[in-house]
Amino acid sequence: VNAWGVTLPEDESPLDQQYVKLLVGEGTANDFAVSVYKRSGGGADVLTTPFVRLNKNFEIVPAGALSWEVTPDGMTWTFHMDPDLTWSDGSPYNADDVVFTFQYQADPAHAWDFTWFWSDIVNWDDAVAGKKPLTDIGVKKVDDHTVQFMTTAPSPYFPSKALYIRPLSKVAFDKYGEYYDNTPETSVSSSPWILEEWTKGKQMVFGPNKKYTGKLKPYLERFILVFGDATTDFRAYQNNEVDMASNFTPADIELISNDPVLNAEYHPSFGDFRTYYLGFNTTEKPFNDLKVRQAFAKVIDRDSIIANVVKRQGIAAYSFLMPGFPDASADVLKNEDINKL
C-alpha cells in the first residue's frame, strides 16, 4: 500500500522503487504560470492541480474543477472548483488563486512567455499590452469556488484549454514571491506530489504530498528529474540511468528495430499530435503562384521521408490533424487531393 492508500499489484517492486527517473534540461521555474519554456521538463508541472485532465482516450475529465457549463451564446464558461482541494500549507485552492494567476499571467511586468494562448479572453490582449487594467480581463470570481471566463467569440473548445488552467497559490506567492516553488522550504502543492529536492546541476525530486486532499490516487510515489542534455536520453536509457527516452536519431531507430529487447520496449505515442509542414510566403515570387505551390506540395514524397528518415517515429501527413486526434477526419488526404485544398 503506497502513500495514498493505493494497493499495488502483487508483482510490484518495493515502495522505494516506485518512481520514474527522466533526463531533462534544467530550468528556472516549476510553475506553468511563471514560465512555460523555462521549466525543468514536463515533470515540473506536478505541483498544481489543473482544472481538467485528459484520460487515455483524450476525453476531458474533471480535476481541480468538478463541473462546468456555458451560456447559450457560447461566450461565458463557468467552472465549479473542488471545495475539498487545498494546498499543502492548508490554504484553500479557490477562485482567488485562479483570478490572481490569470492577472499575473496577463501582467506586462511579468512578460509571461505564453500569453498568446489566452488571447480569446475578453480584454486579455489589451491588458497584456498595458492598455487596460488587469482587473478588466474576462476572468471573474463568482464565489469562493466558482470562476467565470468570458471570451470574445463562441468558444466550444474552452474546456479543453482548461487543461492549462493551473493556478498558483496566492498565499504562497504573496509570502515568498513568484519562485516559491523553487525550494522545498517554501514550496506548496495542490497535487499528490510535492517538491522534496532541487539540487542545482544535478536533479529534482518530487515525493508524496501527504497533506493532499484531492481525488487523484496515483500509483507512482516519486518523479526524479536528472539534469543534463535531454537529447542524449537514449544513451542514458541504454545505461539504465533513466526509465524513459524519447529522442532518437534514424540510427537509433535502426538499432532499436534490430534489437529484440529494445524493440519490445519501444512504444510510439501520439505525443502532442505534432504535425510538421512546409509553409510558403505567398506574397513573394514564385510562391504567389498557386501552380508553384501545388508543384512543391506534390513533389515532397512524404512516404519516402517516413520510410528513410523518420521511420517509426511518425506517419505521412496529408492533413493537419493526424489520425487519432479528437475530431480528426478518418479520411487521410493523398497527394492527388492536395490541389483541392
Side-chain angles (χ1 to χ4, degrees), residues 39-296:
R39 295 167 298 154
S40 299
D45 285 332
V46 302
L47 293 175
T48 185
T49 301
F51 263 25
V52 302
R53 292 189 176 90
L54 299 180
N55 65 17
K56 64 180 181 180
N57 297 316
F58 307 106
E59 298 165 330
I60 303 166
V61 296
L66 300 181
S67 63
W68 49 89
E69 67 269 354
V70 65
T71 51
D73 63 5
M75 297 171 66
T76 300
W77 286 92
T78 302
F79 287 83
H80 304 279
M81 301 173 67
D82 185 349
D84 296 328
L85 196 58
T86 66
W87 296 95
S88 53
D89 62 357
S91 58
Y93 170 97
N94 61 19
D96 290 328
D97 292 326
V98 179
V99 173
F100 167 77
T101 299
F102 272 82
Q103 291 181 1
Y104 169 68
Q105 291 174 144
D107 191 342
H110 172 38
W112 190 44
D113 53 18
F114 215 59
T115 50
W116 62 269
F117 190 73
W118 298 112
S119 288
D120 50 355
I121 291 176
V122 168
N123 291 330
W124 179 268
D125 287 341
D126 284 340
V128 170
K131 297 177 181 178
K132 288 196 174 181
L134 298 172
T135 51
D136 282 1
I137 66 173
V139 182
K140 305 297 180 184
K141 172 181 176 180
V142 177
D143 59 40
D144 284 348
H145 293 97
T146 308
V147 185
Q148 284 187 337
F149 296 84
M150 283 71 76
T151 58
T152 56
S155 51
Y157 53 80
F158 203 83
S160 298
K161 293 182 68 170
L163 177 66
Y164 300 100
I165 300 177
R166 298 170 178 263
L168 296 166
S169 165
K170 185 177 185 304
V171 171
F173 188 105
D174 289 344
K175 188 174 182 179
Y176 300 112
E178 61 186 347
Y179 293 107
Y180 66 85
D181 266 335
N182 281 21
T183 62
E185 293 76 19
T186 59
S187 178
V188 298
S189 171
S190 63
S191 84
W193 300 278
I194 195 164
L195 182 65
E196 288 187 341
E197 174 191 344
W198 186 345
T199 302
K200 300 295 183 181
K202 182 182 178 182
Q203 69 178 14
M204 184 183 299
V205 180
F206 299 93
N209 171 15
K210 297 182 179 178
K211 296 181 180 180
Y212 175 63
T213 60
K215 297 175 175 57
L216 177 65
K217 306 298 182 184
Y219 284 84
L220 282 174
E221 293 214 350
R222 279 180 172 77
F223 292 91
I224 302 174
L225 306 183
V226 180
F227 299 140
D229 181 356
T231 63
T232 65
D233 59 356
F234 180 50
R235 183 181 301 172
Y237 180 84
Q238 291 173 287
N239 293 333
N240 201 31
E241 297 168 353
V242 296
D243 299 309
M244 189 180 301
S246 58
N247 294 280
F248 308 104
T249 66
D252 292 336
I253 295 298
E254 193 74 24
L255 172 66
I256 292 168
S257 299
N258 292 324
D259 185 305
V261 175
L262 290 174
N263 190 58
E265 295 172 352
Y266 183 81
H267 299 282
S269 76
F270 291 108
D272 58 3
F273 288 99
R274 182 167 301 182
T275 299
Y276 291 93
Y277 61 93
L278 179 66
F280 305 106
N281 182 352
T282 59
T283 66
E284 299 288 342
K285 293 181 178 182
F287 298 114
N288 59 343
D289 186 330
L290 174 62
K291 295 295 184 181
V292 172
R293 298 198 300 271
Q294 289 175 340
F296 270 80

Side-chain angles (χ1 to χ4, degrees), residues 2-24:
N2 71 9
W4 303 281
V6 176
T7 300
L8 302 180
E10 292 183 359
D11 61 347
E12 85 282 8
S13 298
L15 285 177
D16 62 0
Q17 296 179 30
Q18 296 297 326
Y19 62 82
V20 166
K21 183 180 288 188
L22 306 174
L23 180 65
V24 303

Side-chain angles (χ1 to χ4, degrees), residues 300-318:
I300 295 174
D301 189 343
R302 296 160 174 76
D303 295 314
S304 178
I305 292 172
I306 295 296
N308 296 293
V309 181
V310 180
K311 299 187 177 181
R312 298 167 64 179
Q313 298 185 86
I315 60 175
Y318 294 95

